[in-house]
């Protein structure tokens, strides 16, 4: 038997996603979200005590969906090939989910997403990324820069390329553009000294 409270929570998150992707975070007032979800304002606030909590929950939910769609890379592969594996799967998911991408782009630099929370959610939902960065730095293949800076660069480059490919789908389907995007990403974090 389905839990009606879980269904309501899901409806609220889906309505928030649709409105935030269409109108941005500021345009998605809680009253509009509740109406779009077909629930009373009180029901929305029962599940999410504030708009901030709702938006953060939606961000975490999207990152979790993305993480669930990505399979583990073969650890025997060279580090660059492991990174390519994760990049390609994440990029394909984002291209297939443009609403989620628009929401993440709007939220990425929002004051509602404090950097520590962003890092925490990233580490919990995409655990391969900090692990891969640490492995690459320990092996001398990746630049010896602070982990927070490396994560920021990785996420920023990924989102910029995903936005381009969603805005211009023909480019996203072009293997030359896909390879170029990954090559630029890799060159930003790699030392160029593969071991």
């Amino acid at each position: 038997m389905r839990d009606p409270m879980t269904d309501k929570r899901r409806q609220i998150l889906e309505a928030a996603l649709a409105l935030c992707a269409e109108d941005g975070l500021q345009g998605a007032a809680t009253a509009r979200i509740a109406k779009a979800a077909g629930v009373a304002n009180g029901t929305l606030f029962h599940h999410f005590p504030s708009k901030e909590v709702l938006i953060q929950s939606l961000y975490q939910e999207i990152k979790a969906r993305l993480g669930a769609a990505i399979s583990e890379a073969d650890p025997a592969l060279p580090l660059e090939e492991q990174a390519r594996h994760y990049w390609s799967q994440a990029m394909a998911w984002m291209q297939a989910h443009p609403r989620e991408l628009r929401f993440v782009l709007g939220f990425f630099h929002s004051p509602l997403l404090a950097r520590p929370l962003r890092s925490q959610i990233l580490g919990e939902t995409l655990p391969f990324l900090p692990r891969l960065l640490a492995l690459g730095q320990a092996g001398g293949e990746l630049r010896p820069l602070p982990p927070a800076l490396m994560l920021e660069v990785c996420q920023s480059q990924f989102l910029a390329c995903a936005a381009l490919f969603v805005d211009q789908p023909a480019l996203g389907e072009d293997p030359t553009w896909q390879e170029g995007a990954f090559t630029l990403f890799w060159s930003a974090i790699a030392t160029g000294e593969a071991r």
Side-chain angles (χ1 to χ4, degrees), residues 100-191:
E100 286 81 347
L101 174 62
R102 281 191 287 279
F103 169 79
V104 170
L105 287 169
F107 191 45
F108 189 63
H109 294 294
S110 163
L112 294 176
L113 182 60
R115 286 193 193 283
L117 179 61
R118 182 185 339 175
S119 296
Q120 176 191 338
I121 293 171
L122 198 61
E124 289 171 358
T125 58
L126 305 174
F128 62 83
L129 185 54
R131 187 174 64 240
L132 205 64
L133 290 174
L135 182 66
Q137 287 182 323
E141 292 179 69
L142 298 182
R143 299 178 189 277
L145 298 170
L149 177 58
M150 294 290 278
L151 280 171
E152 198 72 20
V153 167
C154 289
Q155 187 155 271
S156 295
Q157 283 219 265
F158 175 80
L159 289 174
C161 292
L164 175 65
F165 294 158
V166 165
D167 288 345
Q168 299 183 43
L171 300 181
E173 294 169 11
D174 186 324
T176 303
W177 281 78
Q178 283 282 354
E179 180 59 25
F182 177 78
T183 299
L184 288 170
F185 161 76
W186 184 252
S187 67
I189 62 172
T191 61

XYZ file of all heavy atoms in Angstrom, residues 100-191:
712
model
N 15.555 19.328 -14.641
C 16.427 19.163 -13.491
C 17.689 20.008 -13.652
O 18.151 20.639 -12.708
C 16.788 17.687 -13.292
C 15.668 16.841 -12.723
C 14.623 16.371 -13.743
O 14.591 16.885 -14.888
O 13.823 15.491 -13.377
N 18.221 20.039 -14.867
C 19.408 20.846 -15.122
C 19.112 22.328 -14.903
O 19.879 23.033 -14.246
C 19.933 20.621 -16.536
C 21.106 21.535 -16.941
C 22.318 21.301 -16.051
C 21.461 21.334 -18.397
N 17.989 22.816 -15.434
C 17.640 24.227 -15.256
C 17.501 24.571 -13.766
O 17.930 25.634 -13.321
C 16.368 24.576 -16.018
C 16.624 24.783 -17.506
C 15.437 25.395 -18.221
N 14.324 24.491 -18.410
C 14.252 23.580 -19.375
N 15.229 23.444 -20.235
N 13.201 22.802 -19.474
N 16.899 23.659 -13.012
C 16.771 23.895 -11.571
C 18.152 23.965 -10.923
O 18.443 24.881 -10.152
C 15.938 22.797 -10.901
C 16.014 22.861 -9.402
C 15.258 23.797 -8.707
C 16.864 22.040 -8.702
C 15.354 23.887 -7.325
C 16.966 22.124 -7.322
C 16.205 23.050 -6.629
N 19.012 22.986 -11.217
C 20.347 22.947 -10.602
C 21.137 24.195 -10.971
O 21.808 24.787 -10.120
C 21.106 21.654 -10.995
C 22.564 21.720 -10.582
C 20.439 20.435 -10.363
N 21.059 24.625 -12.227
C 21.772 25.834 -12.638
C 21.276 27.051 -11.853
O 22.078 27.886 -11.429
C 21.595 26.074 -14.133
C 22.365 25.137 -15.047
C 21.900 25.297 -16.493
C 23.866 25.358 -14.938
N 19.967 27.151 -11.649
C 19.418 28.272 -10.891
C 19.784 28.224 -9.429
O 19.970 29.261 -8.776
N 19.918 27.036 -8.906
C 20.177 26.845 -7.479
C 21.659 26.868 -7.149
O 22.049 27.191 -6.040
C 19.557 25.518 -7.046
C 19.523 25.306 -5.557
C 19.128 26.310 -4.698
C 19.873 24.092 -5.025
C 19.084 26.100 -3.319
C 19.833 23.868 -3.651
C 19.435 24.878 -2.799
N 22.505 26.535 -8.125
C 23.936 26.348 -7.894
C 24.583 27.555 -7.231
O 25.404 27.411 -6.339
C 24.632 26.015 -9.219
C 26.065 25.602 -9.076
C 26.403 24.458 -8.383
C 27.069 26.350 -9.648
C 27.722 24.062 -8.265
C 28.393 25.970 -9.537
C 28.725 24.820 -8.839
N 24.212 28.751 -7.639
C 24.805 29.960 -7.068
C 23.827 30.725 -6.184
O 24.042 31.890 -5.871
C 25.337 30.860 -8.178
C 26.477 30.247 -8.921
N 27.697 30.006 -8.346
C 26.582 29.783 -10.183
C 28.503 29.447 -9.227
N 27.845 29.294 -10.348
N 22.756 30.068 -5.798
C 21.742 30.702 -4.967
C 22.220 30.821 -3.519
O 22.915 29.940 -3.014
C 20.466 29.854 -5.011
O 19.610 30.199 -3.957
N 21.807 31.892 -2.829
C 22.134 31.992 -1.398
C 21.437 30.912 -0.567
O 21.808 30.678 0.582
C 21.647 33.388 -1.010
C 20.700 33.801 -2.074
C 21.085 33.070 -3.316
N 20.449 30.225 -1.162
C 19.786 29.135 -0.438
C 20.670 27.897 -0.318
O 20.386 27.008 0.468
C 18.483 28.742 -1.146
C 17.369 29.776 -1.170
C 16.194 29.269 -1.976
C 16.940 30.123 0.246
N 21.746 27.856 -1.120
C 22.636 26.691 -1.090
C 24.004 27.121 -0.591
O 24.848 27.571 -1.353
C 22.760 26.068 -2.484
C 23.633 24.812 -2.576
C 23.084 23.704 -1.689
C 23.733 24.328 -4.005
N 24.205 26.998 0.705
C 25.499 27.338 1.288
C 26.548 26.343 0.789
O 26.248 25.165 0.576
C 25.400 27.300 2.809
N 27.765 26.816 0.608
C 28.830 25.950 0.082
C 29.028 24.673 0.913
O 29.175 23.601 0.341
C 30.138 26.718 -0.036
C 30.110 27.659 -1.197
C 31.475 28.205 -1.543
N 31.342 29.333 -2.450
C 31.087 29.213 -3.730
N 30.926 28.047 -4.271
N 30.974 30.275 -4.488
N 29.014 24.762 2.237
C 29.190 23.508 2.998
C 28.084 22.491 2.712
O 28.338 21.301 2.588
C 29.161 23.959 4.459
C 29.556 25.399 4.423
C 29.023 25.933 3.111
N 26.841 22.983 2.561
C 25.730 22.080 2.258
C 25.891 21.504 0.858
O 25.655 20.317 0.632
C 24.387 22.806 2.381
C 23.151 21.958 2.058
C 23.040 20.775 3.014
C 21.892 22.815 2.122
N 26.316 22.330 -0.105
C 26.538 21.850 -1.469
C 27.573 20.732 -1.462
O 27.378 19.694 -2.069
C 27.003 22.994 -2.365
C 27.201 22.547 -3.791
C 27.762 23.577 -4.723
N 27.635 24.947 -4.333
C 28.167 25.956 -5.000
N 28.843 25.739 -6.096
N 28.036 27.186 -4.595
N 28.676 20.936 -0.739
C 29.728 19.913 -0.668
C 29.220 18.649 0.011
O 29.527 17.543 -0.419
C 30.950 20.448 0.086
O 31.512 21.520 -0.618
N 28.437 18.825 1.062
C 27.885 17.664 1.777
C 26.967 16.853 0.866
O 27.090 15.627 0.780
C 27.119 18.129 3.012
C 26.431 16.993 3.758
C 25.465 17.508 4.820
O 25.573 18.635 5.299
N 24.505 16.679 5.176
N 26.049 17.525 0.176
C 25.114 16.831 -0.715
C 25.870 16.155 -1.850
O 25.607 15.006 -2.192
C 24.040 17.799 -1.255
C 23.125 18.264 -0.112
C 23.220 17.143 -2.366
C 22.171 19.385 -0.484
N 26.849 16.858 -2.404
C 27.653 16.293 -3.490
C 28.364 15.033 -3.023
O 28.362 14.014 -3.704
C 28.661 17.340 -3.972
C 29.293 17.140 -5.318
C 28.245 17.142 -6.416
C 30.328 18.217 -5.584
N 28.967 15.093 -1.839
C 29.681 13.930 -1.304
C 28.766 12.755 -1.006
O 29.147 11.602 -1.183
N 27.532 13.049 -0.553
C 26.591 11.980 -0.208
C 25.948 11.352 -1.438
O 25.696 10.153 -1.467
C 25.488 12.533 0.705
C 25.963 12.870 2.098
C 24.915 13.616 2.904
O 23.814 13.908 2.384
O 25.202 13.930 4.078
N 25.653 12.168 -2.453
C 24.907 11.651 -3.598
C 25.804 11.219 -4.755
O 25.400 10.393 -5.558
C 23.883 12.687 -4.106
O 24.569 13.891 -4.450
C 22.833 12.973 -3.046
N 26.993 11.805 -4.856
C 27.943 11.437 -5.910
C 29.276 11.087 -5.252
O 30.289 11.747 -5.481
C 28.116 12.599 -6.909
C 26.854 13.143 -7.560
C 27.170 14.368 -8.405
C 26.155 12.090 -8.400
N 29.293 10.037 -4.424
C 30.493 9.747 -3.633
C 31.724 9.400 -4.470
O 32.846 9.507 -3.993
C 30.076 8.555 -2.764
C 28.949 7.915 -3.515
C 28.244 9.040 -4.222
N 31.517 9.000 -5.724
C 32.661 8.664 -6.566
C 33.531 9.888 -6.845
O 34.729 9.766 -7.044
C 32.203 8.047 -7.895
C 31.359 8.964 -8.740
C 31.948 9.900 -9.566
C 29.980 8.893 -8.680
C 31.172 10.761 -10.328
C 29.198 9.750 -9.450
C 29.795 10.692 -10.267
N 32.941 11.090 -6.846
C 33.695 12.275 -7.243
C 34.790 12.634 -6.235
O 35.965 12.704 -6.613
C 32.748 13.448 -7.504
C 33.373 14.726 -8.032
C 34.209 14.485 -9.284
C 32.302 15.760 -8.321
N 34.464 12.844 -4.947
C 35.548 13.133 -4.003
C 36.557 11.984 -3.914
O 37.759 12.205 -3.761
C 34.849 13.350 -2.667
C 33.394 13.363 -2.928
C 33.142 12.926 -4.327
N 36.060 10.752 -4.042
C 36.949 9.581 -3.982
C 37.922 9.586 -5.159
O 39.121 9.359 -4.996
C 36.100 8.311 -3.963
C 36.878 7.034 -3.735
C 35.974 5.813 -3.576
N 35.208 5.533 -4.775
C 33.883 5.507 -4.844
N 33.156 5.728 -3.779
N 33.271 5.239 -5.973
N 37.415 9.862 -6.348
C 38.253 9.896 -7.546
C 39.272 11.032 -7.461
O 40.436 10.864 -7.838
C 37.361 10.069 -8.775
C 37.892 9.566 -10.109
C 38.089 8.053 -10.082
C 36.949 9.946 -11.240
N 38.830 12.183 -6.973
C 39.745 13.315 -6.828
C 40.867 12.987 -5.842
O 42.040 13.265 -6.107
C 38.985 14.563 -6.371
C 38.050 15.189 -7.405
C 37.238 16.321 -6.778
C 38.808 15.688 -8.625
N 40.513 12.380 -4.718
C 41.536 12.025 -3.718
C 42.515 11.000 -4.287
O 43.737 11.114 -4.096
C 40.865 11.491 -2.450
N 42.004 10.019 -4.997
C 42.852 8.990 -5.612
C 43.810 9.627 -6.625
O 45.005 9.327 -6.643
C 41.963 7.944 -6.291
C 42.646 6.758 -6.944
C 43.322 5.881 -5.893
C 41.631 5.935 -7.728
N 43.284 10.515 -7.459
C 44.103 11.166 -8.472
C 45.161 12.077 -7.883
O 46.287 12.144 -8.382
N 44.810 12.763 -6.801
C 45.796 13.630 -6.153
C 46.873 12.800 -5.462
O 48.062 13.124 -5.551
C 45.112 14.569 -5.162
C 44.332 15.668 -5.860
C 43.685 16.640 -4.896
O 43.205 16.257 -3.828
N 43.646 17.914 -5.274
N 46.460 11.718 -4.822
C 47.444 10.852 -4.149
C 48.412 10.235 -5.157
O 49.601 10.053 -4.858
C 46.726 9.751 -3.358
N 47.918 9.936 -6.363
C 48.759 9.334 -7.393
C 49.490 10.347 -8.254
O 50.227 9.973 -9.170
N 49.282 11.637 -7.990
C 49.972 12.674 -8.743
C 49.387 12.960 -10.111
O 49.971 13.725 -10.887
N 48.226 12.379 -10.429
C 47.612 12.611 -11.747
C 46.758 13.865 -11.782
O 46.502 14.407 -12.859
C 46.755 11.405 -12.143
C 47.559 10.151 -12.424
C 46.664 8.997 -12.791
O 46.073 9.039 -13.884
O 46.524 8.061 -11.966
N 46.282 14.291 -10.611
C 45.441 15.481 -10.540
C 46.161 16.569 -9.749
O 46.977 16.284 -8.877
C 44.098 15.156 -9.880
C 43.232 14.124 -10.604
C 41.914 13.936 -9.864
C 42.977 14.525 -12.054
N 45.834 17.804 -10.091
C 46.485 18.948 -9.462
C 46.349 18.891 -7.937
O 45.265 18.602 -7.426
C 45.877 20.249 -9.988
C 46.057 20.419 -11.485
C 45.387 21.702 -11.960
N 45.371 21.766 -13.401
C 46.380 22.186 -14.160
N 47.495 22.574 -13.598
N 46.268 22.223 -15.476
N 47.416 19.200 -7.214
C 47.380 19.158 -5.749
C 46.772 20.439 -5.167
O 47.428 21.223 -4.495
C 48.858 19.005 -5.375
C 49.589 19.710 -6.476
C 48.767 19.490 -7.720
N 45.502 20.633 -5.449
C 44.788 21.815 -4.978
C 43.774 21.404 -3.912
O 43.409 20.229 -3.820
C 44.090 22.490 -6.161
C 45.042 22.988 -7.257
C 44.257 23.417 -8.493
C 45.898 24.130 -6.738
N 43.285 22.355 -3.116
C 42.318 21.995 -2.073
C 41.104 21.266 -2.656
O 40.596 21.648 -3.722
C 41.919 23.352 -1.479
C 43.065 24.258 -1.794
C 43.606 23.777 -3.119
N 40.640 20.224 -1.963
C 39.492 19.452 -2.457
C 38.261 20.303 -2.768
O 37.583 20.075 -3.760
C 39.203 18.461 -1.327
C 40.526 18.302 -0.630
C 41.195 19.643 -0.733
N 37.983 21.313 -1.942
C 36.805 22.155 -2.185
C 36.934 22.893 -3.515
O 35.954 23.041 -4.249
C 36.613 23.147 -1.042
N 38.135 23.349 -3.847
C 38.362 24.034 -5.120
C 38.211 23.062 -6.286
O 37.583 23.387 -7.295
C 39.753 24.675 -5.136
C 40.159 25.379 -6.438
C 39.177 26.488 -6.793
C 41.582 25.918 -6.306
N 38.746 21.865 -6.132
C 38.637 20.858 -7.196
C 37.168 20.496 -7.447
O 36.736 20.394 -8.601
C 39.446 19.615 -6.834
C 40.946 19.847 -6.776
S 41.681 20.125 -8.398
C 41.850 18.427 -8.959
N 36.404 20.310 -6.375
C 34.978 19.987 -6.529
C 34.236 21.119 -7.227
O 33.390 20.890 -8.082
C 34.341 19.721 -5.160
C 34.582 18.352 -4.560
C 34.082 18.313 -3.115
C 33.920 17.254 -5.368
N 34.572 22.347 -6.857
C 33.918 23.512 -7.456
C 34.202 23.580 -8.957
O 33.307 23.811 -9.763
C 34.430 24.782 -6.759
C 33.577 25.981 -6.955
C 32.267 25.932 -6.187
O 32.123 25.177 -5.223
O 31.358 26.677 -6.587
N 35.459 23.368 -9.327
C 35.847 23.401 -10.740
C 35.141 22.277 -11.503
O 34.597 22.500 -12.585
C 37.384 23.303 -10.899
C 37.776 23.021 -12.336
C 38.033 24.596 -10.411
N 35.132 21.081 -10.932
C 34.475 19.946 -11.596
C 33.001 20.233 -11.838
O 32.495 20.058 -12.955
C 34.623 18.680 -10.755
S 36.285 17.999 -10.721
N 32.319 20.665 -10.803
C 30.881 20.883 -10.928
C 30.585 22.050 -11.877
O 29.669 21.980 -12.700
C 30.244 21.116 -9.562
C 28.729 21.178 -9.635
C 28.054 20.811 -8.359
O 27.774 19.654 -8.126
N 27.771 21.793 -7.527
N 31.367 23.135 -11.784
C 31.132 24.297 -12.646
C 31.336 23.946 -14.118
O 30.526 24.311 -14.968
C 32.067 25.445 -12.255
O 31.773 25.899 -10.960
N 32.413 23.242 -14.419
C 32.681 22.876 -15.821
C 31.611 21.924 -16.345
O 31.152 22.076 -17.472
C 34.058 22.229 -15.939
C 35.155 23.252 -15.892
C 36.258 22.907 -16.856
O 37.224 22.291 -16.480
N 36.115 23.319 -18.097
N 31.231 20.972 -15.518
C 30.210 20.024 -15.937
C 28.893 20.735 -16.243
O 28.269 20.519 -17.284
C 30.005 18.948 -14.867
C 28.879 18.019 -15.193
C 29.060 16.987 -16.096
C 27.629 18.195 -14.632
C 28.007 16.139 -16.436
C 26.576 17.360 -14.953
C 26.768 16.327 -15.867
N 28.463 21.608 -15.339
C 27.185 22.293 -15.525
C 27.212 23.224 -16.733
O 26.220 23.335 -17.455
C 26.799 23.061 -14.260
C 26.382 22.194 -13.074
C 26.157 23.053 -11.833
C 25.141 21.370 -13.390
N 28.338 23.883 -16.966
C 28.447 24.768 -18.138
C 28.286 23.971 -19.431
O 27.558 24.379 -20.346
C 29.780 25.511 -18.120
N 28.945 22.821 -19.512
C 28.841 21.996 -20.720
C 27.444 21.401 -20.855
O 26.875 21.370 -21.952
C 29.900 20.891 -20.687
S 31.582 21.519 -20.851
N 26.872 20.929 -19.741
C 25.520 20.366 -19.785
C 24.518 21.417 -20.258
O 23.631 21.127 -21.066
C 25.127 19.828 -18.418
N 24.664 22.661 -19.784
C 23.751 23.733 -20.197
C 23.862 23.988 -21.698
O 22.849 24.151 -22.378
C 24.054 25.011 -19.411
N 25.068 24.004 -22.215
C 25.265 24.201 -23.651
C 24.585 23.084 -24.441
O 23.889 23.333 -25.416
C 26.759 24.245 -23.982
C 27.117 24.319 -25.471
C 26.622 25.629 -26.087
C 28.616 24.157 -25.665
N 24.777 21.841 -24.001
C 24.233 20.700 -24.734
C 22.712 20.606 -24.631
O 22.056 20.117 -25.547
C 24.888 19.404 -24.275
C 26.350 19.315 -24.618
C 27.191 18.471 -23.908
C 26.902 20.063 -25.647
C 28.546 18.376 -24.225
C 28.243 19.989 -25.966
C 29.074 19.141 -25.254
N 22.142 21.081 -23.530
C 20.681 21.098 -23.408
C 20.104 22.227 -24.250
O 19.081 22.069 -24.908
C 20.252 21.205 -21.927
C 18.782 21.588 -21.794
C 20.499 19.861 -21.230
N 20.788 23.377 -24.254
C 20.320 24.507 -25.067
C 20.456 24.243 -26.559
O 19.659 24.728 -27.354
C 21.093 25.781 -24.716
C 20.708 26.350 -23.366
O 19.658 25.954 -22.816
O 21.462 27.199 -22.850
N 21.495 23.486 -26.927
C 21.744 23.179 -28.339
C 21.933 21.665 -28.490
O 23.063 21.171 -28.573
C 22.982 23.938 -28.827
C 22.806 25.442 -28.727
C 23.992 26.192 -29.280
O 24.529 25.851 -30.331
N 24.408 27.230 -28.569
N 20.839 20.919 -28.517
C 20.901 19.446 -28.527
C 21.764 18.860 -29.639
O 22.390 17.813 -29.437
C 19.440 19.024 -28.676
C 18.660 20.182 -28.154
C 19.463 21.407 -28.489
N 21.833 19.498 -30.780
C 22.661 18.960 -31.873
C 24.126 18.890 -31.458
O 24.836 17.948 -31.820
C 22.500 19.803 -33.129
N 24.569 19.875 -30.688
C 25.953 19.853 -30.202
C 26.143 18.726 -29.195
O 27.177 18.057 -29.184
C 26.330 21.194 -29.562
C 26.250 22.430 -30.447
C 26.667 23.676 -29.673
C 27.099 22.257 -31.699
N 25.148 18.529 -28.352
C 25.221 17.470 -27.344
C 25.247 16.075 -27.942
O 25.721 15.137 -27.313
N 24.737 15.942 -29.160
C 24.745 14.642 -29.834
C 25.996 14.436 -30.686
O 26.229 13.349 -31.195
C 23.501 14.518 -30.713
C 22.217 14.469 -29.904
C 20.973 14.605 -30.764
O 21.076 14.532 -32.006
O 19.890 14.797 -30.186
N 26.793 15.480 -30.836
C 27.991 15.426 -31.669
C 29.161 14.872 -30.855
O 29.574 15.488 -29.864
C 28.327 16.836 -32.170
C 29.480 16.866 -33.156
O 30.427 16.072 -32.996
O 29.444 17.701 -34.070
N 29.720 13.723 -31.254
C 30.827 13.117 -30.496
C 32.044 14.037 -30.366
O 32.745 13.994 -29.351
C 31.180 11.860 -31.290
C 29.995 11.584 -32.149
C 29.320 12.893 -32.395
N 32.279 14.883 -31.359
C 33.422 15.798 -31.289
C 33.227 16.821 -30.164
O 34.158 17.108 -29.407
C 33.608 16.525 -32.640
O 33.764 15.538 -33.666
C 34.818 17.432 -32.620
N 32.010 17.346 -30.061
C 31.723 18.294 -28.987
C 31.760 17.601 -27.623
O 32.279 18.160 -26.654
C 30.365 18.953 -29.209
C 30.423 20.047 -30.232
C 30.468 19.900 -31.594
C 30.474 21.441 -29.984
N 30.530 21.128 -32.207
C 30.524 22.098 -31.239
C 30.458 22.215 -28.818
C 30.572 23.489 -31.352
C 30.496 23.601 -28.933
C 30.564 24.213 -30.188
N 31.204 16.409 -27.551
C 31.231 15.668 -26.282
C 32.678 15.402 -25.841
O 33.031 15.602 -24.684
C 30.460 14.337 -26.419
C 28.971 14.494 -26.398
C 28.403 14.695 -25.001
O 29.090 14.612 -24.000
N 27.104 14.960 -24.944
N 33.497 14.932 -26.772
C 34.895 14.647 -26.447
C 35.626 15.931 -26.076
O 36.424 15.954 -25.138
C 35.591 13.952 -27.625
C 37.054 13.628 -27.376
C 37.309 12.723 -26.178
O 36.421 11.949 -25.774
O 38.436 12.785 -25.631
N 35.352 17.019 -26.802
C 35.982 18.298 -26.496
C 35.627 18.786 -25.101
O 36.482 19.306 -24.372
N 34.372 18.609 -24.717
C 33.927 19.035 -23.388
C 34.674 18.257 -22.310
O 35.158 18.832 -21.330
C 32.419 18.837 -23.243
N 34.780 16.941 -22.491
C 35.495 16.147 -21.491
C 36.979 16.508 -21.468
O 37.581 16.622 -20.406
C 35.340 14.638 -21.728
C 36.144 13.851 -20.731
C 35.690 13.682 -19.439
C 37.392 13.329 -21.074
C 36.458 13.006 -18.490
C 38.161 12.650 -20.140
C 37.691 12.488 -18.843
N 37.581 16.709 -22.634
C 39.004 17.042 -22.707
C 39.301 18.345 -21.971
O 40.290 18.441 -21.233
C 39.456 17.134 -24.179
O 39.248 15.863 -24.794
C 40.916 17.525 -24.306
N 38.448 19.352 -22.156
C 38.635 20.614 -21.440
C 38.495 20.416 -19.929
O 39.265 20.970 -19.144
C 37.633 21.659 -21.932
C 37.906 22.207 -23.333
C 36.724 23.049 -23.806
C 39.193 23.026 -23.345
N 37.500 19.635 -19.533
C 37.310 19.333 -18.117
C 38.552 18.652 -17.552
O 39.089 19.063 -16.518
C 36.079 18.428 -17.948
C 36.035 17.688 -16.650
C 35.686 18.340 -15.478
C 36.348 16.341 -16.591
C 35.655 17.655 -14.268
C 36.316 15.655 -15.393
C 35.968 16.310 -14.225
N 39.031 17.615 -18.233
C 40.164 16.846 -17.727
C 41.417 17.714 -17.650
O 42.169 17.644 -16.674
C 40.391 15.602 -18.580
C 41.475 14.732 -18.033
C 42.724 14.549 -18.552
C 41.420 13.935 -16.845
N 43.443 13.682 -17.765
C 42.658 13.287 -16.712
C 40.439 13.703 -15.886
C 42.964 12.436 -15.651
C 40.719 12.850 -14.832
C 41.961 12.232 -14.718
N 41.623 18.550 -18.652
C 42.838 19.385 -18.650
C 42.807 20.413 -17.515
O 43.861 20.848 -17.066
C 43.035 20.065 -20.007
O 42.021 21.012 -20.229
N 41.626 20.769 -17.041
C 41.532 21.720 -15.933
C 41.970 21.113 -14.607
O 42.438 21.829 -13.720
C 40.088 22.224 -15.818
N 41.835 19.807 -14.453
C 42.147 19.194 -13.154
C 43.387 18.301 -13.188
O 43.963 17.998 -12.142
C 40.943 18.398 -12.604
C 40.557 17.238 -13.511
C 39.763 19.336 -12.351
C 39.507 16.301 -12.912
N 43.814 17.869 -14.372
C 44.936 16.909 -14.475
C 46.276 17.630 -14.474
O 46.401 18.756 -14.948
C 44.790 16.075 -15.734
N 47.286 16.950 -13.959
C 48.632 17.494 -13.971
C 49.305 17.254 -15.327
O 50.288 17.892 -15.649
C 49.518 16.841 -12.897
O 49.592 15.435 -13.169
C 48.967 17.086 -11.508
